[in-house]
Amino acid sequence: MGVSHFVVLSCCCPRFSPTLSCASTLFRSRLRDSCIRCCTTVSATPSSETPTPTPTPTSVKKRVVSGVQPTGSIHLGNYFGAIKNWVALQNAYDTLFFIVDLHAITLPYDVQQLSKAIRSTAAIYLACGVNPSKASVFVQSHVRAHVELMWLLSSTTPIGWLNKMIQFKEKSRKAGDEEVGVALLTYPVLMASDILLYQSDFVPVGEDQKQHLELTRDLADRVNNLYGGRKWKKLGGRGGALFKVPEPLIPPAGARIMSLTDGLSKLIANKIKRCKTDSFPGLEFDNSERPECNNLLSIYQLISGKTKEEVVQECQNMNWGTFKVLLTDALIDHLHPIQVRYEEIMSDSGYLDEVLAEGARNAADIADATLHNVYQAMGFLRR
């Protein structure tokens, strides 16, 4: 769920491309024209060190939901900030990971490429290690409760809350009021629906998505107060809260994967050799005067699985030329298996269809129960 986001929703303007754009032996050629977006704060701690609890066999797992938009290509920001962490989360939590295709239409998009991008993004999830036997993997629009709950939540969402959303202000200013659809204003309500439907305990979020999760939490409290408790019980329900109020799941020490050219704009993978550097001797973390150095070392730490101390010991006396070769080779080694698995999955459409169908069935069972309770509590005639 830009996500933030609920890493899921980190950007409202998708770019559709049917290739896994950051993986592989094809790294130098295939990535030549591919952007690697950077829109989320990601953990600089290897996944094995991420402090996720290991539940006992008899414990009830907490639930985590997340997703990304169907760009059809994987970006380092999405990969390290979301999908790579999902692989660890699926072992410790009850997890639902979905492709947020409904969010992908909030701004103009390529109609011909949407379905291809959805399938490609689903294949990327699986290629990166998301296991459908541990996590429900599905397409947002395949569970109709998302849209139904959004409409019900919209009736209780003050317009002033939405007008304050930073991303709406920024994107509407760029596009112009006459070109912006209502969906751009209301998509945070859909995002809240994505989360609240599944009675989520935790939502992975980046720094840029905290505001959206706060709106979700506020909406949960608002609906619980307006329709839950004794009011719901009088209508024949069980009473109590209609929604869990989700907590943010924020990675520990983080590093923002920035541009390889200026530290702020989009990351271009094929420009590692030409990326902006500095004239300081040696390489080091956490020097505010060297954001590009910190950025590149953080990427190397993430893909190598080494600790920060190990990276410092290895790289502190390197020059930029030597380090760029090291980083490029490490990227190729890390991403090659993902590319191979991605091609296998994409060539077996039946398998991918089965995974998405089963994931949607599992998700719908949870979502429909929540939606039923909300309809009842809001006074609708039972179907």
Side-chain angles (χ1 to χ4, degrees):
M1 239 184 258
V3 79
S4 11
H5 57 243
F6 191 45
V7 214
V8 174
L9 307 177
S10 58
C11 179
C12 289
C13 98
R15 291 187 314 106
F16 300 128
S17 168
T19 61
L20 178 67
S21 62
C22 73
S24 76
T25 54
L26 301 178
F27 180 81
R28 290 186 178 88
S29 59
R30 179 168 289 190
L31 289 187
R32 186 159 296 137
D33 300 315
S34 300
C35 286
I36 296 183
R37 267 190 314 204
C38 176
C39 51
T40 185
T41 300
V42 301
S43 171
T45 304
S47 59
S48 61
E49 297 180 17
T50 301
T52 53
T54 301
T56 62
T58 58
S59 67
V60 177
K61 289 184 177 181
K62 298 289 188 178
R63 182 171 292 149
V64 172
V65 298
S66 192
V68 297
Q69 287 197 34
T71 62
S73 58
I74 189 171
H75 305 278
L76 285 186
N78 286 120
Y79 174 58
F80 288 125
I83 302 174
K84 191 172 186 292
N85 288 334
W86 293 353
V87 177
L89 293 174
Q90 69 185 350
N91 294 319
Y93 296 96
D94 176 18
T95 49
L96 298 99
F97 301 131
F98 48 103
I99 297 94
V100 291
D101 55 338
L102 294 172
H103 289 281
I105 66 171
T106 54
L107 289 176
Y109 66 99
D110 188 337
V111 175
Q112 299 298 322
Q113 291 297 320
L114 180 57
S115 62
K116 296 178 182 178
I118 291 170
R119 294 182 64 81
S120 182
T121 302
I124 289 170
Y125 284 14
L126 303 181
C128 289
V130 174
N131 187 339
S133 68
K134 297 179 179 180
S136 295
V137 180
F138 62 100
V139 180
Q140 180 190 27
S141 64
H142 291 181
V143 180
R144 296 182 178 180
H146 286 259
V147 176
E148 288 190 57
L149 182 59
M150 178 199 177
W151 181 252
L152 298 178
L153 293 179
S154 295
S155 72
T156 64
T157 305
I159 190 69
W161 290 9
L162 299 180
N163 284 331
K164 294 177 182 177
M165 303 305 289
I166 295 172
Q167 287 200 5
F168 172 73
K169 290 181 178 180
E170 293 176 348
K171 294 181 183 299
S172 60
R173 188 183 305 117
K174 291 179 181 178
D177 291 342
E178 297 300 320
E179 301 297 325
V180 172
V182 173
L184 184 61
L185 176 66
T186 60
Y187 91 89
V189 184
L190 178 57
M191 180 176 169
S193 171
D194 298 336
I195 297 168
L196 299 178
L197 265 179
Y198 300 104
Q199 304 296 342
S200 311
D201 294 287
F202 299 107
V203 181
V205 293
E207 292 294 329
D208 57 343
Q209 286 302 307
K210 286 183 178 179
Q211 188 183 36
H212 290 92
L213 183 59
E214 283 305 312
L215 182 138
T216 299
R217 289 166 52 82
D218 289 343
L219 273 177
D221 282 332
R222 186 177 177 86
V223 173
N224 287 340
N225 291 331
L226 286 174
Y227 302 108
R230 293 180 180 178
K231 298 175 185 177
W232 180 20
K233 196 168 185 179
K234 287 180 180 179
L235 293 173
R238 60 179 174 79
L242 288 160
F243 298 125
K244 283 187 178 180
V245 181
E247 297 290 336
L249 188 62
I250 302 175
R256 180 169 292 273
I257 295 185
M258 301 175 294
S259 167
L260 287 182
T261 54
D262 62 11
L264 295 173
S265 62
K266 293 179 179 179
L267 183 67
I268 309 299
N270 71 306
K271 292 189 178 179
I272 288 178
K273 292 182 180 179
R274 302 192 304 274
C275 65
K276 183 178 179 180
T277 56
D278 55 46
S279 58
F280 290 87
L283 304 177
E284 60 183 329
F285 282 104
D286 303 326
N287 185 334
S288 61
E289 296 183 6
R290 308 185 69 185
E292 293 82 11
C293 183
N294 189 78
N295 176 49
L296 293 174
L297 286 176
S298 296
I299 294 174
Y300 179 63
Q301 181 191 344
L302 287 164
I303 61 177
S304 67
K306 298 179 180 180
T307 66
K308 195 171 184 178
E309 291 72 24
E310 289 171 334
V311 171
V312 170
Q313 184 67 29
E314 179 183 8
C315 303
Q316 60 183 343
N317 295 321
M318 284 186 181
N319 59 41
W320 280 114
T322 302
F323 176 72
K324 288 179 185 178
V325 172
L326 178 68
L327 178 58
T328 300
D329 290 344
L331 274 170
I332 294 171
D333 291 343
H334 183 81
L335 298 172
H336 173 63
I338 297 175
Q339 177 70 29
V340 172
R341 180 60 180 146
Y342 169 81
E343 297 295 348
E344 292 174 350
I345 295 169
M346 287 298 289
S347 66
D348 189 350
S349 60
Y351 168 71
L352 189 57
D353 289 341
E354 289 176 7
V355 168
L356 294 177
E358 178 65 19
R361 285 191 292 268
N362 294 339
D365 287 342
I366 303 169
D368 289 345
T370 298
L371 189 63
H372 169 80
N373 289 338
V374 176
Y375 272 125
Q376 182 186 44
M378 291 182 70
F380 285 85
L381 181 65
R382 181 171 297 183
R383 299 184 185 186

